[in-house]
Amino acid sequence: MSNIVEIRWHGRGGQGAKTASLLLADAAFNTGKYVQGFPEYGPERMGAPITAFNRISDKRSYLHCNIYEPDYVVVVDATLLTAVDVTGGLKKDGAILINSSKSPEELRPLLAGYEGEVYTVDAGKISEEELGRNFPNTPMLGAVVKVSGLIPEDQFVKDMEHSMHHKFANKTSVIEGNMKALRRSMQEVKGL
């Protein structure tokens, strides 16, 4: 099915890559899309490399397997660029989004010859400034929506605000910080 968009997330245990993939699935579902969001489980522990996946489509997908040729790759921890084959199978007409203060040009030599689009956003800095802690998943989620264009940005922000109010009903500062982080990451993506 050519209408399926597949995303592979690379992070470390505790950074929220799994949570971000599930939030993206929820947001896409709310726009009427068919979605899958799931992690690859193994011997995970805090700090160990993990992988999560999304399939987003206008039609029902009957695929139930990991994603080996993604349209997009999201790297939540840039140290994985030299530890894991993050570009493995990544389509040339796709893109990779990396959490880094460096420019896409600076990171391209670490991408095993990948010739497609490269984007970066400093999700660590954004989360520390807006949330007071390094939670890169929320800014990475906003950035992947910006890069992919899968969900209209205004609808995505509205949906995430509703989701945050539901999840953090009594923690107004957490809601505000996450929403600021989402919006900032969408504005600060390098490589657009």
Side-chain angles (χ1 to χ4, degrees), residues 8-21 40 44-53 73-81 83-84 86 97 99 136-137 140:
R8 187 174 63 217
W9 297 74
H10 292 278
R12 293 191 181 275
Q15 292 179 324
K18 172 190 161 191
T19 300
S21 75
E40 177 181 46
E44 277 79 24
R45 62 189 184 286
M46 186 68 78
I50 67 103
T51 310
F53 306 94
V73 166
V74 181
V75 181
V76 182
D77 187 323
T79 65
L80 293 171
L81 295 176
V84 175
V86 296
L97 170 65
N99 173 14
N137 65 334
M140 293 304 289

Side-chain angles (χ1 to χ4, degrees), residues 142-158:
V144 76
V145 167
K146 179 71 172 186
V147 167
S148 69
L150 285 169
I151 303 168
E153 292 177 34
D154 56 342
Q155 187 172 356
F156 168 71
V157 169
K158 183 179 175 183

Side-chain angles (χ1 to χ4, degrees), residues 86-134:
V86 296
T87 59
L90 178 56
K91 295 176 182 170
K92 287 183 181 182
D93 61 346
I96 185 168
L97 170 65
I98 304 163
N99 173 14
S100 178
S101 61
K102 295 181 179 179
S103 71
E105 295 77 25
E106 291 175 281
L107 294 178
R108 189 174 289 281
L110 301 175
L111 300 178
Y114 178 66
E115 298 173 3
E117 298 292 326
V118 179
Y119 301 94
T120 61
V121 66
D122 195 347
K125 177 183 174 189
I126 292 170
S127 66
E128 286 176 10
E129 290 177 359
E130 302 300 344
L131 297 166
R133 292 180 65 187
N134 188 1

Side-chain angles (χ1 to χ4, degrees), residues 162-187:
H162 176 74
S163 179
M164 297 284 175
H165 278 285
H166 179 73
K167 186 173 183 176
F168 302 110
N170 298 323
K171 298 179 180 179
T172 311
S173 63
V174 173
I175 297 167
E176 291 173 8
N178 274 289
M179 294 311 299
K180 286 180 182 178
L182 275 174
R183 288 184 182 101
R184 263 187 74 184
S185 66
M186 294 169 86
Q187 295 170 350

